[in-house]
Amino acid sequence: MRTLPVERFGSAAFTAAIRGATLMDDRLFVTSRHPVADLLRLAEVDLDTGETVSITDLDLGGASGQRLAHDGSYIYIGAAGHGSIWRYDPTTREAIEWAHVGGSTMWAYDLRYHEGFLYLGTYPDCMVRRIRVSDAQVETYGRPSDSQYATAVVADDEYVYGGSASPGKLQRWPKEGGGDPVDLTSFLSDSPVGILSMVKSGDLLYIASGRDLISIRSDGSDRVARPIPSEDRYIDKLTVAPDGTVYALARLTTNIYRVEADSLTQIARPHDDVENILLDLTDDGRFVGVSGVGDVWTVSTMDDAEVFSLTATDFAYADEVQSMLLHKRGQRLWVGGHYSMTVHHLEEQTSQSFYAPGEPKAMVQGSDGTVYAGIYPSTKIVAYHPRTFEPTVLGTIGHGQMRVKEMHYDEARHQLLIATGASNGAYSGALTYVDLATGEFDVHVDILPGQRPMDITVAGDVAYLVGDTWGDGNSGPSKPAGDVAAVDLNTREVLWRRELDPSWQAYEGVIHQDGQLYLMGRRPNGAWLIYDLATESIVHRGELGGYGEFGQSRGRVFSWVHWAFDIRELPSAAGGTGHLLHADVPNGWYNNQEFCWAPNGKQIWGVWGPDLAKFTLIE
């Protein structure tokens, strides 16, 4: 095979995803969710500006940061996938492997300092331990449950409490001298996730358990369950103010609640649509929050919040690509990442990253240059100004949908076509029309009954959709075979719906070329075929070695396969027989690869591992 040129240009997408955070004397420290070139990235962040005060990349043997805690002098790092707790000195910016706790697969899921000891809960052994700070001596209390995750640990003057993920259980051990635990599980509420957070204030233990925030005394007495408002998913962080008041932070909504004797009172909503890593208070009474996607915010009661995204700072690091779009104006390449968007200015060879309200799973460009992105998991459709990048949320698809699979801009009718899959456990996906003149969303569920539409191709006034009978996160198919459907874009009516092959349970992709549909299989994985629309028959079959994406240019058809890591030209009227173009391409896509064609129609933009790359496909 003759090697075709590949040019590489540095990181394609960026993220500021965070796992660990702690506030020490109003100094905020955070750690990267993923290793950065096999190093743990730790940053100190200025709470007033959102800028990084310092960046330190630590060699923890490839582990990333999971949980942070402090004792007033040192930062303790419970790493993801490391048998030791590390201690970091903010003065010297050096870290030591401080205390050995478990095996190389250990993760610290809670880390708390209390009166000379560091208390921790770990995965995968679901163990509660403590480490004496003076000499790093480790003591073990035991397992809260049969879960693999000990998610919450709290100590007071007499006891140590340990809680777990599902099956959520709560145990109490004597703080000194060991002894058998007391099972307090009966005082919890039903929860599919178990216990997410615990704190102790005065004589009461506060527990985030399912749809309730519970308080009990050390023996379980005086139990009070405060229901969480319906708009909140869970309470995932708790903190105690110096006066003993307990505050709770809700996942996704980011509502902050003051915990009353038998209820919750909302006092602020600084952010939205995130999982929380930290809730704490500064010395001057401001709440500080950190999200898993790299946001830092501060807020005082009922005041406007200051929200900063670390995506735009030097804390950001290379990420897997969610989607890609070459803008037809200004030589700008848009790359969607994990809660971030990066725009590469190709002529200037510069780039800038900014926050996105989720993962942009698909992007298209409108006739006026506006960039439209479909966001996971909210199914928001966001319009970005092509020069200022100012975002405008057009609306949310909803209707039980979660994952945007494909978007198409229908220029003739100035509308978006959006294929989505339902949330885990459901099968019925949707085709949504967004009228860009009126802003109206028209959601059609079950265009493909019991299936999620996986891809869209348009020829004239007809859109063709392909279905997946397994949906997202299900253990089996909804029906024996997947469908292909043709939809009239003027009337939005289904023209026909067919099972082309009874052995195909799921399609992955479809394109239209010269009166034929090229169809890629997901189940069977890697099979592909050509369906002739005029004769209503399958005229060709082939094997790709895995599923991925189709591309087309100058009358020729191509495939880029996720699992085989190769780019091929396929048989077509313009191209003759198929052949391999690029082999062993390192994968840097989170989803299927995309064909992002350069204006000459001979090259595509994509990624070579984490790097932005330009591939020549047609000589």
Side-chain angles (χ1 to χ4, degrees), residues 15-195:
T15 184
I18 290 170
R19 269 208 182 102
T22 192
L23 187 68
M24 183 174 75
D25 298 329
D26 289 359
R27 300 174 66 186
L28 177 65
F29 296 87
V30 299
T31 53
S32 58
R33 181 180 180 87
H34 305 291
V36 182
D38 290 328
L39 302 175
L40 169 73
R41 178 155 291 178
L42 186 150
E44 181 181 348
V45 181
D46 188 317
L47 291 176
D48 294 318
T49 67
E51 297 297 320
T52 55
V53 177
S54 65
I55 295 282
T56 307
D57 289 336
L58 302 171
D59 187 358
L60 272 60
S64 60
Q66 172 67 9
R67 289 291 181 266
L68 298 183
H70 71 85
D71 62 5
S73 299
Y74 297 101
I75 305 296
Y76 296 92
I77 305 170
H82 200 291
S84 296
I85 302 298
W86 291 67
R87 188 169 73 178
Y88 173 77
D89 186 338
T91 303
T92 64
R93 294 173 58 182
E94 295 179 346
I96 61 170
E97 191 171 354
W98 176 66
H100 183 74
V101 177
S104 61
T105 61
M106 189 195 81
W107 292 38
Y109 263 82
D110 201 8
L111 204 60
R112 304 286 185 94
Y113 175 78
H114 181 73
E115 296 181 350
F117 290 88
L118 193 68
Y119 293 84
L120 66 156
T122 55
Y123 162 91
D125 56 1
C126 192
M127 199 67 71
V128 173
R129 300 179 175 89
R130 76 173 181 179
I131 308 171
R132 191 161 58 199
V133 169
S134 61
D135 59 6
Q137 179 179 325
V138 179
E139 301 174 57
T140 300
Y141 289 98
R143 294 178 63 108
S145 80
D146 292 334
S147 169
Q148 291 184 296
Y149 300 84
T151 53
V153 179
V154 171
D156 61 22
D157 292 338
E158 294 184 72
Y159 302 110
V160 173
Y161 308 85
S164 75
S166 181
K169 292 189 176 182
L170 177 63
Q171 306 289 334
R172 188 198 77 195
W173 289 271
K175 185 177 178 180
E176 306 295 343
D180 294 331
V182 173
D183 191 342
L184 300 174
T185 304
S186 62
F187 300 101
L188 302 179
S189 295
D190 290 338
S191 171
V193 294
I195 296 173

Side-chain angles (χ1 to χ4, degrees), residues 11-15 317-322 335-338 340 342 344 353 610:
S11 298
F14 293 88
T15 184
Y317 51 96
D319 192 16
E320 291 181 309
V321 171
Q322 300 284 336
V335 182
H338 179 68
S340 71
T342 299
H344 298 273
S353 298

Side-chain angles (χ1 to χ4, degrees), residues 570-588:
L570 301 180
S572 65
T577 59
H579 59 284
L580 182 65
L581 300 175
H582 294 276
D584 301 321
V585 180
N587 188 42

